């Protein structure tokens, strides 16, 4: 029999949908994938060469559970250089993706019955991770009319004596929102006053537009730093999703607890990928900038197209590579045998009628929206937006 823990888990909606798309593709149907959660770029060659070098030199054994000391030191240099933050390698853990660092963090700090505040719309996995740690996710809705900004007043109202942490994500998946320094400072104050942790997932930190800057929450004050676990990784900034390297930086005691958990569950992350990650952090800013500028062009195109469509509105995201148009106008509308009553119906309708794959907003606690990833070629964006517009116009 399967455990209650796993039975209570909602399978990842994005991965389920990928299976459906793979099935259609197998039938020879050309789908434009607006569902992808990864850069459509190859890993820069200087990074690949470092991994090749590691393989050839036989650097293929286990590393310490928290990751190679050289990589952890490089991560410390990054925080010093970019945010003037002092960490030592003892404050850093390298994991098999940011996803594992996040899981480690929840397992390390949450006791059964403790609450973790999750501002929504949110990335699919946070809620399941909190549940796996036997914590209680407390969902707090951020408003679309405010561009999904962090509503600190609403968060304040959801704090109880059981609140152990909040998980925030800026730039945000799925909304693309970038939280302001002012709001993050207010959140930091709340964390100090009410003694809870901030887990700050900054994995999209490099993909940010319109002159915005990422606010590293831990850099706001030494007191806030003491309450913050920063999560980051190689996947999005360096087009390294399949290499599976992420990391967490925070108070030594918590990093130690996370390392104990990781040591007993996966030992250590992939060794050649750790060598490659040192190169990524130290020498790849140019490649990141080329990718960022291209994403920005696509972002502007897609926002203009969506907002020029009747009955759709879409706030302008300042980060990541997603947009979240509100499609609720179409709920209750039909085309032939298909009635669209919610965001899942809409995603299914668009897959079947327009042959474009988007993700249902419901998966992110955003039932009025769909998520479109613009991590795709300009040619596909143009064709996909044409198909979207045409299919929506058929719904009456
Ligand atoms: C907000 C957010 N955090 C974490 C991750 C996981 O990243 P990784 O590939 O490093 O596990 C993702 C991936 O989609 C993400 O969107």
């Amino acid at each position: 029999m399967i455990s209650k823990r796993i039975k209570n888990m909602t399978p990842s909606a994005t991965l389920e949908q990928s299976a459906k798309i793979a099935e259609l593709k197998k039938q020879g149907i050309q789908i434009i994938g607006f569902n992808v959660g990864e850069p459509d770029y190859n890993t820069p060659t200087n990074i690949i060469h470092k991994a090749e070098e590691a393989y050839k030199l036989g650097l293929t054994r286990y590393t310490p559970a928290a990751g190679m000391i050289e990589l952890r030191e490089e991560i410390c240099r990054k925080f010093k250089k970019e945010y003037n933050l002092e960490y030592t390698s003892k404050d850093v853990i390298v994991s098999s993706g940011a996803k594992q660092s996040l899981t480690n963090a929840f397992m390390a700090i949450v006791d059964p019955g403790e609450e973790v505040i999750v501002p929504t719309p949110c990335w699919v996995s946070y809620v399941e991770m909190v549940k796996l740690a036997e914590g209680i996710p407390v969902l707090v809705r951020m408003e679309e009319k405010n561009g999904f900004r962090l509503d600190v007043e609403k968060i304040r109202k959801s704090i109880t004596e059981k609140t152990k942490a909040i998980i925030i994500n800026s730039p945000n998946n799925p909304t693309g929102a970038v939280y302001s320094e002012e709001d993050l400072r207010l959140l930091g104050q709340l964390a100090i006053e009410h003694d809870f942790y901030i887990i700050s997932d900054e994995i999209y930190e490099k993909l940010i537009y319109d002159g915005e800057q990422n606010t590293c929450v831990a850099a706001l004050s030494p007191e806030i730093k003491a309450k913050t676990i920063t999560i980051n990784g190689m996947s999005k900034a360096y087009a390294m999703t399949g290499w599976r390297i992420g990391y967490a930086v925070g108070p030594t005691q918590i990093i130690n607890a996370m390392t104990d958990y990781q040591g007993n569950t996966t030992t250590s992350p992939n060794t050649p990928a750790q060598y490659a990650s040192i190169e990524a952090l130290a020498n790849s800013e140019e490649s990141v900038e080329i990718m960022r500028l291209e994403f920005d062009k696509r972002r502007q195109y897609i926002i203009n197209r969506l907002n020029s469509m009747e009955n759709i509105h879409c706030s302008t995201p300042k980060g990541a590579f997603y947009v979240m148009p509100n499609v609720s106008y179409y709920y209750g509308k039909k085309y032939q045998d298909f009635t669209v009553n919610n965001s899942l119906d809409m995603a299914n309708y668009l897959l079947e009628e327009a042959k474009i794959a988007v993700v249902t907003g419901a998966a992110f606690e955003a039932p009025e929206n769909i998520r479109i990833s613009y991590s795709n070629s300009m040619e596909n964006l143009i064709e996909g937006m044409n198909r979207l517009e045409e299919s929506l116009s058929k719904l009456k």
Side-chain angles (χ1 to χ4, degrees), residues 163-370:
T163 304
K164 190 58 174 280
I166 181 168
I167 165 77
I168 56 165
N169 172 219
S170 171
N172 186 275
N173 175 9
T175 66
V178 174
Y179 296 162
S180 71
E181 179 178 331
E182 194 190 346
D183 288 340
L184 290 169
R185 250 182 219 292
L186 292 172
L187 178 69
Q189 280 316 115
L190 275 189
I192 295 165
E193 267 168 49
H194 297 272
D195 193 23
F196 62 80
Y197 289 107
I198 301 173
I199 303 176
S200 180
D201 180 349
E202 300 178 20
I203 196 154
Y204 292 96
E205 112 198 281
K206 301 278 180 198
L207 300 176
I208 201 158
Y209 318 105
D210 293 344
E212 292 276 333
Q213 298 273 322
N214 180 52
T215 302
C216 178
V217 180
L220 292 174
S221 75
E223 294 76 20
I224 296 175
K225 180 184 175 206
K227 295 260 131 246
T228 303
I229 305 156
T230 306
I231 307 287
N232 208 324
M234 305 298 138
S235 287
K236 317 289 173 170
Y238 306 102
M240 290 176 71
T241 46
W243 296 70
R244 309 308 303 128
I245 298 291
Y247 58 87
V249 176
T252 320
Q253 209 189 357
I254 292 175
I255 297 296
N256 285 343
M258 290 167 67
T259 306
D260 288 344
Y261 179 72
Q262 177 162 297
N264 278 311
T265 48
T266 52
T267 305
S268 55
N270 178 301
T271 304
Q274 291 190 63
Y275 278 96
S277 298
I278 297 175
E279 176 69 12
L281 289 169
N283 293 315
S284 307
E285 286 313 304
E286 238 175 76
S287 310
V288 176
E289 185 58 7
I290 292 170
M291 190 167 78
R292 190 189 71 81
L293 290 172
E294 189 53 34
F295 274 135
D296 192 14
K297 274 193 221 147
R298 300 171 183 182
R299 177 185 69 113
Q300 293 182 30
Y301 172 77
I302 206 156
I303 285 293
N304 286 336
R305 277 301 299 272
L306 286 168
N307 280 328
S308 74
M309 291 179 204
E310 262 179 71
N311 310 322
I312 280 223
H313 58 94
C314 188
S315 57
T316 300
K318 305 273 184 180
F321 41 72
Y322 309 103
V323 292
M324 281 252 295
N326 185 311
V327 292
S328 59
Y329 168 84
Y330 292 98
Y331 295 176
K333 306 235 176 326
K334 288 174 76 160
Y335 175 62
Q336 293 178 345
D337 296 342
F338 215 114
T339 306
V340 172
N341 282 323
N342 52 44
S343 69
L344 179 61
D345 290 345
M346 180 58 98
N348 286 334
Y349 172 71
L350 292 174
L351 189 58
E352 294 196 6
E353 183 56 32
K355 308 287 181 274
I356 60 176
V358 302
V359 185
T360 158
F364 307 101
E365 307 292 336
E368 297 195 332
N369 306 71
I370 52 172

